Amino acid sequence: MTPDLNTRLNAQELARQLAEKRVSVIDVREAMEFAGGHIEGSRKEPLYWYASAVAAAPLPI
């Protein structure tokens, strides 16, 4: 299933989809910011990891 990138979720819908494992939240903030509070179920990944993953993704033909 391809996600619709134009869809906006409110907090309740995001919580529901996270609980159903339909979406993932990647938090790229610094570790201290993440430790100060984050969306339950979110993954902490450093921004450089995300940038590297995007750069390594194949381009569509």
Side-chain angles (χ1 to χ4, degrees):
M1 177 176 155
T2 303
D4 179 359
L5 301 178
N6 295 314
T7 300
R8 293 180 184 256
L9 303 177
N10 62 33
Q12 292 80 19
E13 180 62 16
L14 176 60
R16 185 181 70 76
Q17 289 196 23
L18 279 168
E20 294 174 359
K21 303 213 183 294
R22 293 183 60 201
V23 298
S24 297
V25 175
I26 300 173
D27 192 324
V28 298
R29 296 176 302 150
E30 297 295 326
M32 288 186 67
E33 293 173 302
F34 185 81
H38 57 273
I39 295 172
E40 186 176 337
S42 63
R43 276 186 18 208
K44 168 70 185 104
E45 298 290 349
L47 184 56
Y48 69 81
W49 174 89
Y50 180 72
S52 298
V54 169
L59 296 174
I61 298 176

